[in-house]
Amino acid sequence: MTLSKTEKPLTVTEDGGYLPGTHPDLPPPASVHGPVHWIQYNLFGSVTNTALTLLTIYFLYTVIPQLVDWIYLDAAFEGESRKDCRAVANGACWAFIGNRLSLFIYGFYPEAERWRVDLTFVLLILALVPVLYDGTPQRGKALIYSCLYPLIAAFFLVGGFGLERVPTDQFGGLMLNIIIGVTGIAFSLPIGILLALGRQSHLPIVRILCVSFIEFIRGVPLITLFFVAAVMLSYFVPPGTNFDLLVRILIMGTLFASGYMAEVIRGGLQAIPKGQYEAADAMGLKYWQSMRKVILPQALKISIPGIVNTFIGLYKDTTLVIVIGRLDILGIGNSSLADSKWQGLSTEVYVFVAIFFFISCFSMSRYSLWLEKKLHTGH
Amino acid sequence: MAETENLNETSAQIKSSKGEEDIIQIVGMHKWYGEFHVLKDINLSVKAKERIVVCGPSGSGKSTMIRCINRLEEHQQGQIVVNGIELTNDLKRIEETRREVGMVFQHFNLFPHLTVLENCTLGPIWVRHTPKKEAEESAMEYLERVKIPEQALKFPGQLSGGQQQRVAIARSLCMNPKIMLFDEPTSALDPEMIKEVLDVMIELAETGMTMIVVTHEMGFAKTVADRVIFMDEGEIIEQNDPHEFFDNAQHERTQLFLSQILAH
Ligand SMILES: Nc1ncnc2c1ncn2[C@@H]1O[C@H](COP(=O)(O)OP(=O)(O)OP(=O)(O)O)[C@@H](O)[C@H]1O
Ligand SMILES: [Mg+2]
């Protein structure tokens, strides 16, 4: 770039190259960039590629217009029954969902108290911020709030201490999915970590306990555990004590996810080279210090895809509470279908439930990708 | 019976030689991996500020021996006393010893998720309870001593092998150890990087650090070592000052080893 005309003859050889040791830094050639090149190269690079591209375009061309029609263009958003919907449009009858929206969200939570659910949800978002984003101002203090959040949430949702008590069997709909999902997610990670570390312990008793627990959990379907929660656990608690069914479900969901979590994290722990443990030991760090500062940050980072996988699995499995008679969002949807005014609208219900789960799970998956990228330190 | 007598004798030896400035004392130490007898009757005392080079063929137990000194490996028989503390299963003693003994590994073993500076301050902050700011200042001093202060905020994965090993040395020094152990610190490095690491080690030797270095860098041994130890098949075959060792090796196996290693 800085070569002037007078210098050129000194450094340029006869065939246009540079003399050894005089090659300047040049910009990369322009032709390998740009959208046209990208399309040519990636979509029409070979015969198979071209065929696939054309097929995909044809498929999208036939499906998308119909889908958009059904979901939006030809859909009815208002009405008091299925007849009303059909009178104005042939597509989806979203009026049904709109009509029942509060049932979908709050289940049978008393209408006058629903502000408590909303508040709890807003507080949940606030509690999540410092956990998920390490740039939060005053993160240390904010995390204390996050740790206290489960108690705060329990207080607002269940009541007592001046607030009207709401029995947990009135919880339902989306709020039930979120309660079970978030509890499971929040507690399964630490329990899973402890189980994974316990499985590697030098103490045989700790190891055997952890292994048995993990293998038991993994060998039993979640539905079974929910049944156990509903029926059997009451044998284990002293008669007369009222051990709330929702709490039992929360415990079972959490333990179930913890078992899987432990295995995911064990995979991460095994990927950490022995030298890392040795360097931490040689430095004089105590066991818990070296776990917290050296081993777990690396192991958890490697395990992020598996951890989020477990989270998503648990979140979707919350719909299983239906088997013990609690109505989550899917359960509410199912039972709404029985209403004769709205018969035959199952597609709308399932699409709505699917969209709700898709949004939640897709956000988790995007967050994990973002986190992985952020934690990448170039090794 | 004979064995217990032996043990009594050795502990008597240790007591008698206390007071003198032996910072490491290994007496009649044996180690097994399962049935395999890796270290056989190791006896070694190291004075403060002494610099010792350990060499020997691959698999002779050099690494295992120095790893016993900070209890990364457990010995099954005999005694190891480091800085006045006998190493046993007692975690307190092990931690106390490790605080005073730094170790540099063949493969650096830096913590990849922490920056160079954080690697260096981790030990001081958590083990020595040094305030963060103070730890960082002293870490920067050590990074300057190993000539890479400008890399402080990078992650280990962004450095060359030689730079990583110098960070590893600085990281150990930040703990302000009395003894430094090096296990083949240059053998994972490309030739052009070996020198930069050896230079740092030579400077460290000049400050009077007690060092035990497992290495095959015979030039380093000649310039720096007070004593060279030759190991083979789990035994210390021969130990001598570098001149005697290289010019006048006593044992046949030492001569064979030296001829092989000096051949290229
Ligand atoms: N964890 C272990 N379990 C069983 N055997 C081991 C273990 N670690 C080392 N050994 C064996 O002990 C012997 C001594 O190993 P050590 O690593 O101390 O040798 P070294 O002298 O450092 O060799 P090198 O020059 O290759 O590093 C070797 O034969 C090795 O195979
Ligand atoms: Mg070795």
Side-chain angles (χ1 to χ4, degrees):
Chain A
M1 296 287 267
T2 53
L3 283 180
S4 69
K5 271 197 176 133
T6 50
E7 268 174 317
K8 228 170 193 170
L10 290 175
T11 55
V12 177
T13 57
E14 277 162 24
D15 52 355
Y18 295 91
L19 285 173
T22 62
H23 206 304
D25 297 339
L26 302 174
S31 63
V32 294
H33 300 296
V36 176
H37 177 266
W38 188 91
I39 289 176
Q40 264 180 9
Y41 183 81
N42 289 294
L43 299 183
F44 300 98
S46 67
V47 179
T48 353
N49 229 337
T50 311
L52 274 176
T53 306
L54 292 177
L55 254 170
T56 312
I57 291 177
Y58 175 73
F59 175 76
L60 292 177
Y61 169 76
T62 50
V63 169
I64 288 189
Q66 288 197 29
L67 211 60
V68 173
D69 251 13
W70 187 83
I71 288 185
Y72 187 73
L73 294 179
D74 200 11
F77 293 88
E78 269 160 50
E80 286 307 317
S81 69
R82 181 167 188 248
K83 273 204 199 101
D84 293 355
C85 283
R86 285 290 166 268
V88 290
N90 287 319
C93 176
W94 296 125
F96 175 40
I97 307 290
N99 227 285
R100 307 250 162 161
L101 195 58
S102 58
L103 193 63
F104 274 107
I105 295 176
Y106 304 101
F108 312 103
Y109 208 84
E111 240 160 276
E113 305 293 327
R114 284 182 182 169
W115 60 271
R116 283 156 53 178
V117 181
D118 298 339
L119 178 65
T120 313
F121 186 72
V122 173
L123 291 177
L124 170 68
I125 306 284
L126 289 180
L128 284 179
V129 171
V131 177
L132 298 182
Y133 179 56
D134 68 352
T136 314
Q138 302 272 337
R139 192 177 185 215
K141 281 178 205 152
L143 279 174
I144 298 178
Y145 160 67
S146 304
C147 292
L148 292 176
Y149 173 78
L151 295 176
I152 301 172
F155 164 68
F156 278 119
L157 292 177
V158 179
F161 305 105
L163 277 182
E164 189 192 327
R165 278 196 93 88
V166 179
T168 60
D169 56 6
Q170 293 183 358
F171 292 15
L174 195 154
M175 108 183 220
L176 193 58
N177 296 96
I178 295 185
I179 292 174
I180 304 172
V182 170
T183 309
I185 287 172
F187 289 98
S188 65
L189 186 60
I191 298 178
I193 291 174
L194 291 180
L195 285 171
L197 291 177
R199 196 168 182 163
Q200 294 196 329
S201 169
H202 300 296
L203 308 171
I205 296 186
V206 176
R207 203 167 53 230
I208 290 170
L209 279 177
C210 290
V211 172
S212 327
F213 178 82
I214 293 168
E215 294 305 336
F216 170 75
I217 289 286
R218 293 204 306 165
V220 179
L222 181 57
I223 287 203
T224 320
L225 290 180
F226 279 167
F227 274 128
V228 171
V231 186
M232 263 177 58
L233 268 192
S234 39
Y235 289 122
F236 297 121
V237 295
T241 42
N242 176 20
F243 193 20
D244 192 273
L245 180 60
L246 180 62
V247 176
R248 293 186 235 163
I249 292 173
L250 291 180
I251 292 176
M252 283 306 184
T254 305
L255 292 183
F256 184 76
S258 308
Y260 280 87
M261 195 61 73
E263 285 300 279
V264 168
I265 292 168
R266 185 167 70 101
L269 286 172
Q270 277 174 348
I272 306 298
K274 218 171 123 234
Q276 294 288 309
Y277 291 87
E278 291 177 353
D281 284 348
M283 198 177 255
L285 292 174
K286 294 188 173 53
Y287 174 79
W288 286 110
Q289 289 176 329
S290 74
M291 287 302 133
R292 207 180 119 209
K293 290 284 154 188
V294 177
I295 305 301
L296 282 176
Q298 298 183 59
L300 291 179
K301 191 187 113 187
I302 305 174
S303 320
I304 288 177
I307 292 175
V308 173
N309 212 14
T310 311
F311 283 170
I312 288 178
L314 170 71
Y315 196 69
K316 291 189 293 190
D317 280 350
T318 55
T319 51
L320 290 177
V321 290
I322 201 168
V323 301
I324 52 170
R326 291 297 164 92
L327 295 183
D328 72 316
I329 186 170
L330 188 59
I332 297 271
N334 264 334
S335 58
S336 316
L337 290 176
D339 189 336
S340 57
K341 264 203 308 184
W342 297 101
Q343 242 160 21
L345 294 177
S346 51
T347 319
E348 280 82 346
V349 168
Y350 294 133
V351 167
F352 171 70
V353 173
I355 288 176
F356 160 71
F357 275 107
F358 179 76
I359 291 175
S360 323
C361 297
F362 188 65
S363 336
M364 282 193 244
S365 130
R366 297 311 297 183
Y367 172 76
S368 80
L369 284 180
W370 174 81
L371 190 65
E372 270 177 70
K373 231 191 215 147
K374 197 173 78 92
L375 294 179
H376 186 74
T377 56
H379 53 274
Chain B
M1 276 303 276
E3 226 178 71
T4 45
E5 240 166 63
N6 251 338
L7 270 181
N8 286 340
E9 205 178 285
T10 51
S11 50
Q13 269 176 16
I14 286 175
K15 268 180 207 131
S16 69
S17 57
K18 227 169 183 177
E20 287 172 36
E21 40 184 346
D22 277 350
I23 195 164
I24 301 173
Q25 276 201 321
I26 304 177
V27 182
M29 189 257 281
H30 293 255
K31 173 167 180 64
W32 288 263
Y33 282 125
E35 291 292 304
F36 176 49
H37 200 168
V38 221
L39 293 178
K40 304 166 187 161
D41 192 29
I42 301 289
N43 291 286
L44 176 69
S45 354
V46 181
K47 290 194 177 50
K49 302 197 175 181
E50 204 176 3
R51 297 170 295 244
I52 291 182
V53 163
V54 182
C55 61
S58 179
S60 55
K62 307 177 298 287
S63 302
T64 311
M65 183 183 79
I66 69 164
R67 289 156 61 88
C68 283
I69 295 174
N70 65 351
R71 196 70 169 191
L72 286 183
E73 302 288 349
E74 195 179 317
H75 62 283
Q76 279 96 32
Q77 199 180 312
Q79 277 170 305
I80 303 179
V81 180
V82 179
N83 197 26
I85 301 167
E86 183 181 350
L87 285 172
T88 62
N89 276 330
D90 182 3
L91 270 181
K92 276 251 155 53
R93 292 179 180 212
I94 296 175
E95 278 159 13
E96 211 172 317
T97 308
R98 285 175 177 167
R99 248 175 275 157
E100 305 302 336
V101 181
M103 186 162 204
V104 174
F105 300 86
Q106 180 175 4
H107 296 288
F108 331 134
N109 298 353
L110 293 174
F111 305 133
H113 61 300
L114 301 177
T115 63
V116 165
L117 188 62
E118 287 164 342
N119 264 280
C120 291
T121 54
L122 187 69
I125 290 176
W126 292 93
V127 180
R128 291 232 187 263
H129 308 292
T130 316
K132 187 168 175 226
K133 202 158 168 282
E134 209 173 294
E136 280 176 356
E137 277 164 15
S138 116
M140 285 311 294
E141 268 167 41
Y142 283 111
L143 285 174
E144 246 153 64
R145 250 172 76 182
V146 301
K147 304 184 188 64
I148 32 176
E150 72 281 359
Q151 313 284 4
L153 297 180
K154 285 197 185 162
F155 287 97
Q158 299 165 315
L159 305 185
S160 74
Q163 291 173 323
Q164 292 194 39
Q165 192 61 297
R166 284 184 283 150
V167 172
I169 295 174
R171 175 177 73 177
S172 292
L173 292 178
C174 282
M175 282 294 288
N176 222 338
K178 294 206 170 81
I179 302 161
M180 285 284 287
L181 307 174
F182 294 82
D183 190 0
E184 308 207 31
T186 56
S187 54
L189 296 177
D190 292 336
E192 71 265 31
M193 295 172 188
I194 292 181
K195 189 176 173 301
E196 63 186 51
V197 171
L198 288 181
D199 284 347
V200 166
M201 289 170 61
I202 291 170
E203 275 178 36
L204 180 64
E206 282 162 2
T207 66
M209 176 67 74
T210 313
M211 294 163 75
I212 301 184
V213 185
V214 176
T215 184
H216 291 156
E217 293 294 330
M218 290 306 144
F220 175 80
K222 279 178 190 163
T223 40
V224 171
D226 298 313
R227 191 160 30 130
V228 182
I229 289 177
F230 175 72
M231 289 184 71
D232 196 11
E233 296 185 359
E235 288 180 87
I236 294 183
I237 302 289
E238 169 162 7
Q239 43 180 313
N240 222 327
D241 72 86
H243 290 296
E244 281 295 303
F245 183 83
F246 288 111
D247 301 339
N248 198 6
Q250 301 299 309
H251 205 283
E252 204 178 308
R253 277 196 261 179
T254 322
Q255 289 159 1
L256 180 65
F257 174 77
L258 284 176
S259 69
Q260 279 167 351
I261 209 159
L262 297 174
H264 44 244

